[in-house]
Amino acid sequence: MSVFIDACRRKEAEYTPVWFMRQAGRYLPSYRSLKGSRNVLEIAKDPGLASEAVVGAVRELGVDAGIIFADIMLPLEGMGVKFRIEEDVGPVVSGPIRTPDDVSQLKDFDSRSDAVEVYEGIDETVRKLDGTPLIGFSGAPFTLAGYVVEGAPSRELERTKMMMYDDPDSWKALMGKLTSMVESYLDRQIKHGVDAVQLFDSWVGCLSPADYDRYVLPYTRKIIESIGGRVPTIHFCANSGPLIERFQSTKADVLSVDWRVAVDDVWRRCADRVGVQGNLDPVVAAVGGETMRRQTGDILQQAQIHRGHVFSLGHGVLKVTSPSNLKQLVNIVHEKTRSRK
Amino acid sequence: MSVFIDACRRKEAEYTPVWFMRQAGRYLPSYRSLKGSRNVLEIAKDPGLASEAVVGAVRELGVDAGIIFADIMLPLEGMGVKFRIEEDVGPVVSGPIRTPDDVSQLKDFDSRSDAVEVYEGIDETVRKLDGTPLIGFSGAPFTLAGYVVEGAPSRELERTKMMMYDDPDSWKALMGKLTSMVESYLDRQIKHGVDAVQLFDSWVGCLSPADYDRYVLPYTRKIIESIGGRVPTIHFCANSGPLIERFQSTKADVLSVDWRVAVDDVWRRCADRVGVQGNLDPVVAAVGGETMRRQTGDILQQAQIHRGHVFSLGHGVLKVTSPSNLKQLVNIVHEKTRSRK
């Protein structure tokens, strides 16, 4: 097995594994030349290019895992959602989903015919990675609901919350449909060979703990249950401080947190019964130098007495980041944690 | 004394006081007609209009405090920052402050000649309010730095953090100048008769606890110290969950928190040695009805065994809110808490 999977399973790992969200991204010259003028969806739907992007980043940075190249919105095409991905903005949905009618017209996702390019990309990536673990992923229902209800990236997700509070029947129907999609999308990814899955509930930190319990938790729990421990599950949320205990109760193996909450605080609040992924601020990785070295040292020191640390950034790599900073970061983490043994 | 000040001082209050951030705002027809085509700064600099806006909202809603009508950016004019306030966007700075030179060229704020319209507005508002307490306010140094460094509202404040990490001398100089400004701006507000002050460190929740300690806390502490208990101080931060204990250590009398953290959790973590302001989600106030009634009841129940609750929203009133919802909310809070005595 690999150090990455060992860490996800909270086994003794030889050293602390590292990978970065958006490690195959525009900060990387080799990715920019692969990308050319293509948009993200065109690459994601081309198994040759998608696998090349994943493997290129893994080899260049020396990280311990790759993540499939896809967009969080991609499987929604199969449900009939119309959208485009605008560079530097994000997904823009034409015809947002807001009324009971909008919700009832969403099609059921069919994993035999929808997002098939993603599964083909997984086949090809697994071959090329030659043993390095591959992480599959999906957006979580709340975060996907946020995109389709708002229609565009939004700071406070006001319309989404309004549907949640004001039209609970539509909310349940929408969350139910999205949950079914995520279950079958991840199931198919696992069957094609991903070694772990990460569920991105990136924006759910905008809810109160009580609302999270009422409107989101049952759906997330159902998804994790459907995976049934076949591969480790990683739950990601930006800004997750107040919800840590709730995320643990989803039974995810690993909680991926950002820099707003200290990693040792996560272990403490979860009585060490969870893996923790994170949590350097991506701005610090972009700044590099002494600040990066010091803050990385702090995180590793907090993690030292706990099992199940996957080092990562608290969010995706910033476009302005120099790849040499990330290579240095990988080396720092590997060297410092190897020498402890 | 008033119930509002009693609550801020954690004295037994006759009932739980209520006020709302942005209670004099565009959701309110009387404010819209007072505003006409004027921008926010024009109103803020006209003591007659500014006091009218404050008092109009207090009378219409039946709240227990008014807040001075000003913009967080206003005192920065005195320091030579050039900006405009764009409706539905926020402050846009022409010539953001990013280099050591930019910082050194910032002028010292002179409370005898800068923002004088605000102090005149306070005089007139105090007269018209006739005993209802008036809250003064200022942006806190970090949040103001965020605006002047980014140049426009930003989700992650990346440039601000880059200066903080990469150019600590400029950061210290900028924070020092902003701190001096806030001290003398608030001092002058207090001398003109405000009964409490609220410090808006709205965006500081984007920092890790360690970075907050290192780069922000000393400045905030210095400001609270400069007020020296003359009036109660309220510390506001959106998304403040992980930083609660730090905010308490600034010696602010009241922590204003949003819905992401439960109010009883704040009291628990601060051993009841703080007042708590909040924390209904403004979306819930916009939705109204049963959801608003239920969630308000939850907050009041959590607060029941603690002293020092000021009921409020977790953030400003949304433009889509019906004023009748807010009036109902004020009544619910007053009635439910009065009947307990």
Side-chain angles (χ1 to χ4, degrees), chain B residues 55-284:
Chain B
V55 177
V58 168
R59 300 281 176 257
E60 192 159 340
L61 301 177
V63 289
D64 302 288
I67 183 161
I68 63 169
F69 193 95
D71 188 273
I72 194 175
M73 299 293 285
L74 192 148
L76 296 175
E77 282 185 340
M79 299 177 74
V81 177
K82 303 263 174 276
F83 62 89
R84 58 184 193 284
I85 310 294
E86 284 190 13
E87 231 164 80
D88 299 318
V89 175
V92 177
V93 176
S94 38
I97 310 298
R98 292 179 186 165
T99 67
D101 247 29
D102 295 341
V103 174
S104 69
Q105 277 165 31
L106 281 174
K107 286 188 278 184
D108 285 338
F109 179 84
D110 181 346
S111 71
R112 289 161 309 177
S113 54
D114 293 324
V116 288
E117 307 92 337
V118 172
Y119 319 131
E120 288 164 18
I122 292 173
D123 295 340
E124 196 155 337
T125 311
V126 167
R127 272 197 303 276
K128 288 179 181 166
L129 274 176
D130 194 26
T132 302
L134 179 63
I135 304 166
F137 79 85
S138 174
F142 177 85
T143 291
L144 293 173
Y147 284 115
V148 300
V149 175
E150 302 294 326
S154 147
R155 187 172 197 136
E156 298 286 353
L157 298 173
E158 290 167 12
R159 284 173 183 279
T160 311
K161 289 184 188 173
M162 282 194 188
M163 182 199 278
M164 192 172 92
Y165 295 131
D166 222 13
D167 183 3
D169 291 339
S170 293
W171 180 256
K172 279 178 205 159
L174 175 60
M175 290 292 280
K177 285 187 175 198
L178 291 169
T179 299
S180 301
M181 179 282 278
V182 175
E183 286 178 5
S184 72
Y185 184 48
L186 289 178
D187 175 66
R188 194 76 192 266
Q189 292 184 31
I190 295 167
K191 286 177 175 147
H192 279 260
V194 300
D195 302 284
V197 294
Q198 178 155 322
L199 197 58
F200 283 86
D201 216 350
S202 312
W203 309 130
V204 80
C206 73
L207 294 186
S208 72
D211 285 345
Y212 181 81
D213 286 345
R214 186 181 184 106
Y215 298 106
V216 179
L217 179 58
Y219 304 96
T220 306
R221 197 172 268 162
K222 188 164 177 298
I223 290 166
I224 306 271
E225 211 171 87
S226 78
I227 292 166
R230 285 176 286 166
V231 298
T233 49
I234 307 171
H235 183 284
F236 171 77
C237 174
N239 203 352
S240 54
L243 298 173
I244 292 297
E245 293 83 357
R246 265 90 181 170
F247 295 152
Q248 182 186 24
S249 83
T250 66
K251 305 268 172 70
D253 297 292
V254 179
L255 304 188
S256 189
V257 298
D258 75 12
W259 56 92
R260 290 177 178 93
V261 56
V263 292
D264 56 357
D265 197 35
V266 180
W267 274 301
R268 184 184 57 75
R269 288 163 62 186
C270 296
D272 267 319
R273 302 185 66 161
V274 83
V276 180
Q277 179 172 281
N279 68 344
L280 192 72
D281 190 332
V283 176
V284 176

